[in-house]
Amino acid sequence: MLSTKETPSSSLKDKGVLLFGPLNMSLLLTIGLIHIIALVSPGPDFALILRCRQSRLAAFGAALGISLAIGIHTLLSLAGISLIIQNTPTLYTLVQFFGASYLAWLSWGAFSSFFRKSEVREKRLVSFSSFKKGLYVGVLTNLSNPKALLFFIGLLSGLVTPEVNFLIRTLLVGELFLLSFFWFSFLAWFVSKVQGTLNRFDRPISLVTGILFAFVSLSIFRTFLFHW
């Protein structure tokens, strides 16, 4: 007579099938694909990597900083904290104001570089050369962008249902962090590789990065003033 008692190995196997079942795999692939599309779209993070091109250490620091900030956004969104921030008018207003102000400051720095003489511009770029500085600015640039906050709230609250377990949520945090780190590390490597060519276009690059930062900053300020 066959025993109906479940062995430990078969129990673990069943849990593995459930964990990496079609629905969970589809969720991981869908969110990963949407995130990749968002990553390759030029924005403040891309502009920051360009600004760090003189130093590979600073560029990789910025890549890690941006990726860590994306991991934090993901974690907060999955925990519901980002939704609380969005639904708390005073707190969300402070986040918007701080984010727009910081991006405006980065925009001012890029525009100032555009109008400086080449020798002064080169000195300013070289001074931004440490891994620690790149890491710090990378984290701040991404975290201070309320549009990134809204993106992750929309993406994760729409696709991650309450039934999705803790392990899958942890895998999602790791997935978005790793995808971000691979992409921005590749960009950091690429721009540092071709920095000689890019330096010949230093003024146009400063102008473009300044416009990117300014565009995001102004759009946040516009939303902030509209709701105010």
Side-chain angles (χ1 to χ4, degrees):
M1 187 174 176
L2 291 173
S3 172
T4 57
K5 189 176 180 181
E6 204 176 60
T7 65
S9 59
S10 65
S11 177
L12 287 172
K13 191 181 291 184
D14 290 342
K15 286 180 181 177
V17 170
L18 287 172
L19 178 61
F20 296 105
L23 288 177
N24 286 335
M25 289 304 296
S26 175
L27 177 68
L28 290 167
L29 288 171
T30 301
I31 290 177
L33 181 60
I34 294 171
H35 185 54
I36 288 170
I37 294 169
L39 283 175
V40 299
S41 306
D45 298 331
F46 176 78
L48 178 63
I49 297 293
L50 279 180
R51 291 281 292 159
C52 297
R53 68 187 179 277
Q54 289 292 104
S55 166
R56 188 172 293 182
L57 275 177
F60 276 108
L64 179 58
I66 293 165
S67 305
L68 285 172
I70 287 171
I72 293 169
H73 274 305
T74 308
L75 194 59
L76 293 180
S77 297
L78 289 173
I81 296 171
S82 291
L83 203 57
I84 293 170
I85 293 172
Q86 188 191 16
N87 292 327
T88 307
T90 304
L91 188 56
Y92 186 59
T93 298
L94 287 173
V95 170
Q96 281 186 306
F97 183 77
F98 169 75
S101 300
Y102 182 71
L103 292 172
W105 178 76
L106 290 177
S107 174
W108 172 257
F111 283 130
S112 298
S113 179
F114 173 74
F115 289 109
R116 286 190 197 103
K117 292 180 179 179
S118 58
E119 298 84 4
V120 180
R121 259 199 326 274
E122 191 173 337
K123 284 180 183 177
R124 289 296 294 266
L125 283 171
V126 169
S127 68
F128 190 63
S129 60
S130 71
F131 180 86
K132 186 177 177 181
K133 178 70 172 177
L135 178 68
Y136 171 75
V137 177
V139 170
L140 270 184
T141 299
N142 190 273
L143 277 185
S144 64
N145 185 0
K147 287 182 176 291
L149 176 72
L150 292 176
F151 170 77
F152 287 105
I153 291 174
L155 175 63
L156 298 172
S157 64
L159 293 174
V160 181
T161 62
E163 290 75 27
V164 175
N165 63 42
F166 175 77
L167 189 51
I168 293 297
R169 290 168 185 261
T170 305
L171 287 174
L172 281 170
V173 175
E175 176 188 32
L176 298 190
F177 167 78
L178 288 174
L179 286 174
S180 306
F181 184 64
F182 288 146
W183 170 248
F184 288 114
S185 293
F186 167 75
L187 277 183
W189 170 82
F190 179 76
V191 299
S192 62
K193 263 295 194 190
V194 298
Q195 65 170 293
T197 303
L198 291 175
N199 286 345
R200 289 200 288 265
F201 301 96
D202 183 56
R203 292 193 70 191
I205 287 172
S206 294
L207 180 62
V208 170
T209 54
I211 289 171
L212 274 172
F213 285 130
F215 176 77
V216 178
S217 176
L218 288 172
S219 65
I220 295 167
F221 269 126
R222 190 174 72 86
T223 306
F224 168 76
L225 291 173
F226 177 76
H227 285 294
W228 186 265

